[in-house]
Amino acid sequence: GLTYDSKENPMLSGSRLRKRLDRLFCHLDDFELESIERVGMDPIPGVTYEKETKMKKKPAQSVRLPVLPSDHFGLLLKISPRS
């Protein structure tokens, strides 16, 4: 999945960037991939911030946005010893 996604991450309002910027490279002969998933996609409960939005031909407005752990979604890699 995308790790920097302005459509899924409300902290990135005003951006149109949607990329897989974060990756994991791993070479471990004695282990195998169990799973990989994106994490940090849920807002922190009760935490918001205000941001001023600028739109063409309209006055700037202040909007309240949720706060996520980061502007990038994290990657959680799980490995297990090779059988």
Side-chain angles (χ1 to χ4, degrees), residues 26-32 79 82:
C26 190
H27 179 76
L28 298 170
D29 291 331
D30 298 334
F31 293 86
E32 61 188 3
I79 58 174
R82 192 175 297 277

Side-chain angles (χ1 to χ4, degrees), residues 31-46:
F31 293 86
E32 61 188 3
L33 176 65
E34 192 173 309
S35 65
I36 185 169
E37 64 181 294
R38 289 186 303 167
V39 296
M41 298 177 63
D42 297 320
I44 299 169

Side-chain angles (χ1 to χ4, degrees), residues 5-23:
D5 190 346
S6 62
K7 284 191 176 182
E8 284 192 50
N9 189 336
M11 286 180 53
L12 302 176
S13 68
S15 172
R16 292 185 182 160
L17 188 61
R18 301 184 78 211
K19 298 281 183 181
R20 182 175 293 128
L21 297 177
D22 305 280
R23 293 176 167 78

